[in-house]
Amino acid sequence: MNHWTIRQLDVNNAFLNGILTEDVFMHQPEGFVHPQFPTHVCKLTKALYGLKQAPRAWYDRLKASLIQWSFVTSKSDTSLFIHHVVEEIIVALIYIDDILITGSNSHLVEKVIHQLGAKFALKDLGEFNYFLGLEVTPTVDGLHLSQTKYIGDLLKKAQMVNCKGCPTPMSSTEKLVKDKGAVF
């Protein structure tokens, strides 16, 4: 609506950035067993992929960095961070290792991207055009959202590309009722 640029970032190896706050131990990796201490275990200080604590440790570290840069967490969505100074606003939306960032001042957006890049290895994917199955096309009136590519990929995966399409998958006048025999 305000024609702000929306930038898309991808954090490389995001979970490896998480600092563990509890003691976690693992067996020595195969091929890296110490010959004098083959029964010893490793105490982890940083998260690894596959570790159940990894997503939380990564999110906590990213959140701490954003809060240090004067962002606040949205009350309605913990993955939405807002930086508001006088008449300028920057908004960052986090989904695991993908970040969308926009704001009223493109120089401030660049500054935040630079700060993130200095702290975490990331790829700047440029203008926001595809995110979580949504294709995004800027228009004069705002953004046009579409799931055409996502649906096409689903149809390919289900081997249903040549199926006959219909505007609505069921009758729009159908009344839905709970099945009396269903257990919920």
Side-chain angles (χ1 to χ4, degrees):
M1 189 167 107
N2 293 319
H3 300 285
W4 294 349
T5 300
I6 303 173
R7 299 277 293 279
Q8 188 170 355
L9 309 171
D10 182 61
V11 180
N12 299 329
N13 301 313
F15 289 175
L16 301 181
N17 288 296
I19 309 286
L20 296 173
T21 57
E22 58 194 71
D23 290 341
V24 177
F25 298 92
M26 66 175 262
H27 293 286
Q28 295 178 57
E30 195 174 305
F32 294 94
V33 177
H34 193 288
Q36 293 176 325
F37 309 104
T39 59
H40 282 200
V41 294
C42 301
K43 180 179 179 184
L44 300 177
T45 56
K46 294 182 92 178
L48 296 173
Y49 279 86
L51 194 63
K52 70 177 182 173
Q53 295 91 334
R56 173 60 53 198
W58 155 242
Y59 174 80
D60 289 345
R61 182 150 182 233
L62 177 60
K63 179 181 177 181
S65 297
L66 290 169
I67 288 172
Q68 180 183 3
W69 300 326
S70 302
F71 278 81
V72 293
T73 309
S74 165
K75 290 181 184 359
S76 61
D77 185 347
T78 57
S79 64
L80 183 65
F81 293 85
I82 302 160
H83 175 76
H84 195 264
V85 179
V86 189
E87 294 180 13
E88 306 293 344
I89 186 168
I90 305 293
V91 180
L93 180 66
I94 313 300
Y95 182 75
I96 306 173
D97 61 350
D98 294 314
I99 301 172
L100 293 181
I101 187 163
T102 188
S104 59
N105 182 322
S106 60
H107 296 294
L108 279 178
V109 170
E110 284 295 328
K111 181 181 175 189
V112 171
I113 291 171
H114 180 74
Q115 287 175 308
L116 284 167
K119 188 140 190 167
F120 308 106
L122 57 87
K123 284 183 273 189
D124 184 347
L125 302 175
E127 289 281 323
F128 169 46
N129 60 14
Y130 190 78
F131 188 72
L132 302 178
L134 284 175
E135 292 173 86
V136 181
T137 309
T139 67
V140 181
D141 300 320
L143 299 174
H144 175 75
L145 304 179
S146 169
Q147 289 190 300
T148 305
K149 180 184 180 322
Y150 178 71
I151 292 167
D153 291 344
L154 282 177
L155 290 172
K156 283 180 198 167
K157 187 175 182 178
Q159 299 176 350
M160 297 177 67
V161 175
N162 297 322
C163 291
K164 182 180 175 188
C166 66
T168 306
M170 63 182 284
S171 169
S172 60
T173 59
E174 188 73 31
K175 297 285 184 197
L176 299 177
V177 294
K178 183 177 176 182
D179 181 8
K180 294 184 193 299
V183 179
F184 292 101

